[in-house]
């Protein structure tokens, strides 16, 4: 899960990209980068850290040009210190840079093909650099001295034939324009918009529509699964084409549960409304399976679960209260490496308001339960604040399998629900009772706004992977890369590695 943006304008785009990345900061807090193009030259600033810390005024002054792309990153299969920042760049052909959100499931095979067949060198362990080189090779295969929309679409079609996994990407070709494309399953989100200026129409592509809104762009639509969008460098041409042979909608349902901002529209579904319906479905389950409940108050775990918790409380006819104050300067604990750091961050991030807990039977609502670290700590805090009983509800089903499409869900052994029943998970996190959302209810909560969404990637709940290329060997290898011990080891090894691609 990362955030990407691309802008083609008629004046400098550095500020627009900076602002868009700041809006998308929730999608990645590990690294940030901006690359712009001006008069045939590229200008780059990227590093580990938040957008505001990586890109300062002195860097903005050097990011020249009316066309550019940007990226915010969270580590897909590594620790927060070892992520490769983006965008990446190759000089052949023409000079192409790329920002990518997702994860390629056949990256190892592609890396081998690039070396042996395509004669291309990969400088990092990032699958995003692999995707860039595949795209660049497919552009080169067109054999042209100039690039047009047809060449770009042919290259994307070649990418779809070779690449497996999840990818929403934006590529910038020096002197020609920006190409944005989405994998044939549409696992990761991507949309585009336009705005009228005195100098002409400007275009933006973004992971989420909220970035378009905040910068005054009118959302045109989502990029369809397998589709590509070409925007010429002068902004006079916008062309789209379906480049996949058998595209289908199978977006990651966790975008609606947790990752996306509630004010975003993804595949014609307003995330806020989807979360309201999640709360309604969860309330229906409680009334169906626990009609004599003794819940006094519903309290959300800020921020993502607020919408679902509010609607759940309304449907139950129970008081809704804000029981935790949040320190907004602590990052998302979901993506932090190591149990100790996560536990410490939970305590620093949330502080209970005893007035809302003392002597009450409390239903805490969260968007999901992954490791259980955060849930257990929050339940303990609720009891210490004076709650008589602490119940827990998850707006998502039990997470029992790793995600392979760009979400750093940990090794199976670190998932609290793996191999445990609902009652056993409740005992493990210290809850008096636990209620999970049913998968069918979750899917319907999203699908009701867009019936075209016949399928979703729900692999972390079911173990069924929409790309059909995931086997036990792949998951075992992933487990060795993603467990906490491996991340801590990489931290120690890579703290001293120079950032080969960074230009200050």
């Amino acid at each position: 899960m990362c955030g990407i943006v691309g802008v083609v304008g008629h004046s400098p785009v550095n500020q627009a990209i900076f602002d868009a990345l700041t809006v998308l900061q929730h999608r990645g807090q590990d690294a940030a980068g901006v690359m712009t193009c001006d008069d045939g030259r590229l200008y780059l600033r990227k590093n580990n850290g938040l957008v505001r810390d990586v890109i300062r005024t002195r860097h903005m002054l050097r990011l020249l040009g009316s066309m550019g792309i940007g990226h915010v990153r969270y580590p897909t299969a590594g620790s927060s210190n070892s992520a490769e920042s983006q965008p990446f760049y190759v000089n052949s052909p023409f000079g192409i840079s790329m920002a990518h959100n997702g994860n390629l499931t056949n990256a190892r095979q592609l890396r081998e093909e690039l070396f042996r067949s395509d004669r291309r060198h990969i400088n990092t362990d990032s699958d995003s650099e692999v995707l860039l080189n595949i795209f660049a090779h497919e552009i080169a295969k067109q054999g042209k001295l100039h690039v047009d929309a047809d060449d770009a679409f042919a290259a994307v079609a070649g990418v779809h034939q070779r690449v497996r996994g999840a990818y929403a990407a934006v590529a910038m070709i020096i002197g020609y324009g920006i190409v944005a494309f989405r994998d044939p399953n549409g696992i990761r989100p991507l949309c585009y918009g336009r705005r009228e200026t005195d100098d002409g129409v400007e275009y933006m592509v973004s992971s989420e529509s909220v970035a378009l809104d905040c910068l005054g762009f009118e959302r045109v639509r989502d990029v369809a699964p397998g589709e590509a969008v070409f925007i010429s460098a002068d902004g006079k041409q916008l062309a789209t084409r379906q480049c996949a042979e058998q595209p289908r909608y199978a977006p990651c349902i966790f975008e609606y549960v947790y990752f996306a901002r509630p004010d975003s529209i993804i595949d014609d579904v307003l995330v806020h409304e989807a979360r309201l319906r999640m709360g309604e479905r969860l309330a229906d389950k409680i009334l169906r399976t626990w009609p004599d409940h003794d819940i006094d108050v519903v309290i959300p775990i800020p921020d993502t679960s607020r919408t679902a918790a509010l609607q759940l409380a309304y449907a139950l006819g129970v008081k809704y209260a804000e029981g935790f104050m949040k320190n907004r300067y602590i990052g998302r604990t979901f993506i932090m490496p190591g149990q100790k750091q996560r536990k410490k961050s939970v305590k620093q991030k949330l502080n209970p308001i005893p007035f809302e807990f003392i002597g009450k039977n409390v239903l805490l609502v969260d968007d999901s339960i992954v490791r259980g670290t955060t849930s257990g700590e929050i339940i303990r805090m609720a009891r210490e604040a004076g709650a008589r009983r602490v119940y827990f509800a998850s707006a998502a089903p039990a997470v029992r399998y790793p995600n392979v499409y760009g979400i750093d869900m940990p090794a199976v052994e670190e998932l609290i629900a793996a191999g445990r029943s609902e009652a056993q998970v409740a005992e493990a996190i210290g809850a008096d009772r636990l209620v999970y959302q049913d998968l069918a209810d979750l899917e319907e909560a999203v699908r009701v706004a867009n019936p075209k969404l016949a399928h979703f990637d729900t692999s972390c709940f079911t173990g069924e992977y929409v790309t059909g290329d995931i086997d036990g060997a792949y998951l075992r290898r992933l487990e060795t890369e993603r467990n906490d011990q491996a991340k801590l080891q990489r931290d120690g090894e890579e703290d001293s590695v120079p950032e080969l691609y960074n230009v200050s």
Side-chain angles (χ1 to χ4, degrees):
M1 182 200 72
C2 301
I4 62 174
V5 63
V7 181
V8 175
H10 298 288
S11 58
V13 297
N14 53 355
Q15 188 66 53
I17 296 174
F18 177 92
D19 292 343
L21 293 180
T22 302
V23 172
L24 296 175
Q25 186 75 84
H26 62 283
R27 299 190 64 86
Q29 303 166 0
D30 181 65
V34 174
M35 182 174 278
T36 59
C37 182
D38 182 58
D39 194 25
R41 286 197 171 192
L42 293 176
Y43 299 87
L44 169 68
R45 171 59 184 172
K46 63 177 184 176
N47 210 336
N48 285 352
L50 300 176
V51 176
R52 66 171 184 258
D53 297 323
V54 171
I55 305 166
R56 311 302 289 266
T57 301
R58 65 182 183 275
H59 305 123
M60 291 287 283
L61 294 172
R62 301 170 189 164
L63 293 169
L64 308 177
S66 58
M67 178 172 68
I69 61 176
H71 187 268
V72 287
R73 162 95 190 221
Y74 106 114
T76 300
S79 75
S80 60
N81 293 325
S82 64
E84 293 283 353
S85 53
Q86 297 184 40
F88 285 111
Y89 164 76
V90 291
N91 66 350
S92 177
F94 306 111
I96 304 175
S97 56
M98 179 179 284
H100 161 230
N101 173 31
N103 186 54
L104 309 187
T105 55
N106 64 337
R108 285 195 172 193
Q109 173 191 336
L110 293 173
R111 192 174 280 111
E112 183 77 9
E113 290 177 6
L114 284 167
F115 176 74
R116 296 191 177 278
S117 303
D118 300 352
R119 300 294 188 265
R120 285 182 170 270
H121 172 71
I122 304 300
N123 197 59
T124 72
D125 292 330
S126 172
D127 63 331
S128 301
E129 190 185 10
V130 171
L131 182 62
L132 167 60
N133 276 271
I134 294 290
F135 177 75
H137 181 75
E138 294 298 324
I139 283 283
K141 281 172 59 177
Q142 307 309 308
K144 302 275 191 72
L145 290 177
H146 302 281
V147 177
D148 58 21
D150 290 336
D151 300 321
F153 295 147
V156 173
V159 169
H160 289 333
Q161 291 174 4
R162 298 179 65 178
V163 175
R164 298 291 176 268
Y167 50 95
V170 56
M172 181 168 62
I173 308 173
I174 295 178
Y176 295 101
I178 280 179
V179 184
F181 55 95
R182 195 176 178 193
D183 70 76
N185 290 294
I187 298 174
R188 293 284 151 241
L190 190 63
C191 62
Y192 69 95
R194 52 173 282 159
R195 69 181 178 187
E196 299 278 353
T197 70
D198 293 339
D199 298 317
V201 179
E202 298 182 328
Y203 293 98
M204 173 187 285
V205 295
S206 172
S207 292
E208 293 186 35
S209 63
V210 65
L212 304 176
D213 297 339
C214 292
L215 273 76
F217 283 80
E218 177 189 358
R219 174 182 173 272
V220 175
R221 63 178 176 86
D222 297 281
V223 178
E227 187 180 29
V229 178
F230 176 84
I231 306 167
S232 61
D234 59 10
K236 295 181 178 180
Q237 179 190 12
L238 183 144
T240 65
R241 183 178 299 173
Q242 178 54 252
C243 300
E245 295 179 357
Q246 294 181 316
R248 68 164 184 167
Y249 273 108
C252 175
I253 207 161
F254 241 89
E255 291 283 353
Y256 302 95
V257 171
Y258 175 76
F259 286 125
R261 272 183 44 160
D263 45 346
S264 284
I265 297 173
I266 296 178
D267 291 323
D268 293 327
V269 178
L270 178 59
V271 175
H272 174 73
E273 289 186 344
R275 289 177 183 166
L276 286 174
R277 289 188 289 269
M278 291 175 202
E280 290 176 354
R281 301 297 194 277
L282 201 50
D284 289 343
K285 182 174 182 180
I286 291 174
L287 292 172
R288 185 176 66 251
T289 61
W290 188 17
D292 58 343
H293 71 81
D294 58 351
I295 301 167
D296 296 319
V297 60
V298 173
I299 294 178
I301 311 303
D303 285 316
T304 321
S305 63
R306 278 197 174 106
T307 308
L310 182 62
Q311 194 67 15
L312 184 152
Y314 177 79
L316 290 181
V318 172
K319 177 187 175 183
Y320 170 90
E322 293 285 343
F324 292 98
M325 292 302 296
K326 181 179 179 181
N327 180 350
R328 301 184 182 280
Y329 301 96
I330 301 294
R332 284 182 150 182
T333 55
F334 175 82
I335 61 178
M336 289 181 176
Q339 288 284 70
K340 289 184 178 179
Q341 185 173 348
R342 282 188 289 269
K343 284 186 177 181
K344 180 181 178 181
S345 294
V346 171
K347 296 176 183 177
Q348 294 174 338
K349 183 176 182 178
L350 297 175
N351 193 47
I353 303 172
F355 173 79
E356 300 294 354
F357 291 91
I358 294 174
K360 298 175 183 177
N361 297 333
V362 178
L363 175 63
L364 302 179
V365 181
D366 208 350
D367 48 73
S368 59
I369 306 171
V370 182
R371 295 175 177 88
T373 308
T374 301
S375 304
E377 285 295 309
I378 290 172
I379 290 169
R380 182 190 59 77
M381 286 192 286
R383 293 194 189 281
E384 291 179 353
R388 184 166 61 241
R389 292 181 183 174
V390 181
Y391 308 123
F392 205 94
S394 168
V399 176
R400 292 192 166 97
Y401 304 92
N403 183 286
V404 302
Y405 300 125
I407 303 175
D408 191 23
M409 286 185 176
V412 171
E413 64 184 19
E414 295 172 10
L415 296 171
I416 190 72
R420 288 188 174 97
S421 66
E422 190 171 296
Q424 289 171 328
V425 175
E427 182 180 1
I429 64 176
D432 292 301
R433 186 168 186 144
L434 172 63
V435 181
Y436 278 115
Q437 183 86 267
D438 290 337
L439 180 56
D441 286 340
L442 175 61
E443 291 182 335
E444 185 58 25
V446 179
R447 184 184 295 118
V448 68
N450 183 2
K452 292 181 181 179
L453 302 179
H455 306 280
F456 294 96
D457 170 49
T458 59
S459 53
C460 54
F461 310 129
T462 66
E464 298 173 3
Y465 296 91
V466 295
T467 53
D469 59 340
I470 305 302
D471 56 19
Y474 184 95
L475 293 177
R476 286 191 293 273
R477 184 172 71 247
L478 197 69
E479 186 168 342
T480 62
E481 295 172 351
R482 287 190 177 181
N483 65 60
D484 280 343
Q485 189 59 41
K487 291 178 182 179
L488 292 173
Q489 182 177 348
R490 278 193 293 271
D491 279 352
E493 291 174 352
E494 296 185 8
D495 278 348
S496 60
V497 176
E499 192 179 350
L500 300 177
Y501 269 59
N502 189 43
V503 177
S504 297

